Structure formats: structure tokens, C-alpha cells
Amino acid sequence: MVRLTRRSLLAQGAALAALPRPAFSMLGQTNAHIIDMGNAAYFDRDRARPDLDATDGCTRDNHDFYETLARSGVDTVIRYYSDQNNANLNCKNVTRRERDMLHDHGLSLAIVYQFEGRKKNRFTGDRGSRDAQFCLERARVIGQPEGSTLYFGVDSDAQLNTDQGVLDYFRAVNRVLGNRFDIGIYAAGARCRLIQNAGLASRFWVPEAPAWAGTHAYLNSGDWHLFQNKTNINLNSVTDGHGQPIHIDTNIVNPDQTTTIGAFNRDGSIRTYDRQRLTAIADARYWVNGDKATVHRSPGDPEVAHICVARTVHVTGIYGEWAEVDIDEDGLPEGYTRLDGLTPLRQMPKWRRSSCKLMDI
């Protein structure tokens, strides 16, 4: 992963001065402001003790990290309800303590239920009833307000579970929750479309999995609400340097569909976003439309990084035939790539197998 230094920033500034006047420059105004985290940021997470309850070994708050989130423009964190913690995510289940901590830093909270999402034949009517009851209890414990959104993760491609099983699951979820919570789905495009057509959810969140069934068509339809555009970020200026490994994903709202994802504030009100800001954020995200887009510290320099087909970059400026790009979603550009290798967010290219390997970010 390319890291920016004062020297490299000065070099980029010199290269910038030699290029044509930018068509736009949006650095600092178009950063992703919604993240999801599989684990809370605690200093005393005990990875060796997955049997511990979420409140044990998850008590020393990493306030520095949450302050960094707020300063970087993040205003919403999506966290998890999960049947149990595990060796890698032993603070996965959000607690009331964490809710208060997030609100103390001005961050709203959204909730997704996810457990064994990639288990074959997991999604059935019976399991939907049990999961919804579990979520009701977790909502009571943390004080999730009625009217906010509960997303349910179908975190697998289509072949692991039947359409009928997924339909039965969401019918059961609707029966148990009634009208108490807004229901959302986190799933491949084909599953979002299935549940949308059946009228069983009102919010549709698509993972960063461009090869999954129906995702290309669904994103290009414009019917989605939230897109998880970058996953497993752990080396950028937001996540790095906080005394522990922290991993985040970033998400983009579809401004043509909504101004809220159903997150809630301390007082129980639903967080809404400025549509103009959402549009600017979406307009600054581009797809790689070739097998690989190479990134150069300055135009014409050797490659310092790359992005694979059907993955997004944050374009922070356009200079003639070159786009200045932020590839790890911290708002700081890593370099330049050819503009003709990119297409706007509303025009997702089809994913295809290639020799391009995803980089750690």
C-alpha cells in the first residue's frame, strides 16, 4: 500500500502545477461518511477468549480512534447484532456501552444482524423467526429506537441458499418485527431484487462483491440505497496509528433513492443527510472499467499501486487525461490514473476474471 509523506505530497503538488486546470477538485468534501465495523475499537479485546461475553474484555474505549473518525467527516457507524462472538471478532455484538460511546463522539448508529451468513441452507422461515426475536432482545438491551432500520445480512452468493428459503426468512422476520422497525437487507444484487419485488424490505444494501449474482444489474438499475464500496481498510490515515489493528468498510448512499439509511442519534431520532452532499460523494466515485487501473505518484512515473476491474476509486480531481485518486477512502490522494480507464458510479462495468490481484488497503 502506498503511503503519503511530506516529500511525496510536495512532489505531487509540483506535478499538479504542470497539468491543465482541474475540471473539479473535491478533496475534503466528498469523503465517505458512513462506515461499518465488524468489531468495536477497544484496547482490551481478548482475541484468545472468544467465549467471553461482549462486555468482558471490551471495556477500554479507544477514544482517539472515534475522535479521528469524527474529524475525518464520518458521521455514521454501522455495527452488528450477532448470536455470538468469535476468535476474530470477540467484540462483534454492539453493546449499550458502545452505543453511548459512539453518540458521545457525535456519531449515529445503524444496525445489521449477521451470523453464519455464508452457511449453506441457513436461511429458512424458522431461522428468520429466531433471528428476529434475537434482534428484538438486542434492540431492547442497547435501546435501539423503533422506526430505525434493522438490516439482515444474507452474506453469500446465490448458490448457498435457495430463493424460497430467503423469501421464507424475510416473511418470518416481517411477522416477528411487525411495524416496529424498518427492515433492510444486506445482500447480492439478485437477492436485493428478490426481496424488493416481494415487498419484504424497504432498504437495500449491496456488498463489495462485484462477482455475486445480479450485483452488476442491480447497481446499474439505481434501485439500491447503500453500497459497501470498500472493505477491510486497515492502513489508511483514519485507521492506522491507534495502538491496535482496526478494520473498517466504507459505504456510499444512493442520493437518487434516499437521504437516510435508518441510523439513529442519541435522542432516538433518525439521522438524515444532505442530498447535495450525498450527490457530491456519489459523483466522486468511479469504477475501474479495464482489467487493472495503474496508479502513478505523478503522471508518467512508475506504478505505485493498482485497482482491479469493477472496484471503485475516489476521484479527487481531474487534470486533462488524468484523474487524481484516493484508493483507500481516507480523502488523501495516492496518485494519478488514466481517466479513460474509469467510468462513473452509475455505470458499473461487468466483473470478469483477470490477472489483477486485490491489494491490501
Side-chain angles (χ1 to χ4, degrees), residues 83-125:
D83 287 28
Q84 65 189 48
N85 299 298
N86 57 56
N88 293 318
L89 298 173
N90 67 317
C91 300
K92 183 174 183 177
N93 229 327
V94 64
T95 63
R96 181 62 191 234
R97 177 189 181 91
E98 186 184 353
R99 174 192 167 164
D100 292 341
M101 177 176 60
L102 291 167
H103 292 328
D104 286 345
H105 290 279
L107 302 166
S108 62
L109 174 61
I111 299 294
V112 56
Y113 172 83
Q114 188 181 68
F115 181 67
E116 295 182 335
R118 299 187 182 185
K119 183 176 180 180
K120 189 174 178 62
N121 297 323
R122 182 201 187 280
F123 294 94
T124 64

Side-chain angles (χ1 to χ4, degrees), residues 208 228-233 249-250 307 312 327 329 361:
E208 189 204 23
Q228 187 182 56
N229 73 309
K230 288 288 184 181
T231 55
N232 298 318
I233 300 170
D249 308 327
T250 58
I307 317 100
T312 64
I327 65 176
E329 286 292 356
I361 58 172

Side-chain angles (χ1 to χ4, degrees), residues 9-22 25 298-299 317 319 324 336:
L9 284 170
L10 289 172
Q12 283 190 206
L16 208 70
L19 289 169
R21 185 176 180 85
S25 180
S298 297
Y319 301 85
E324 182 187 55
Y336 301 86

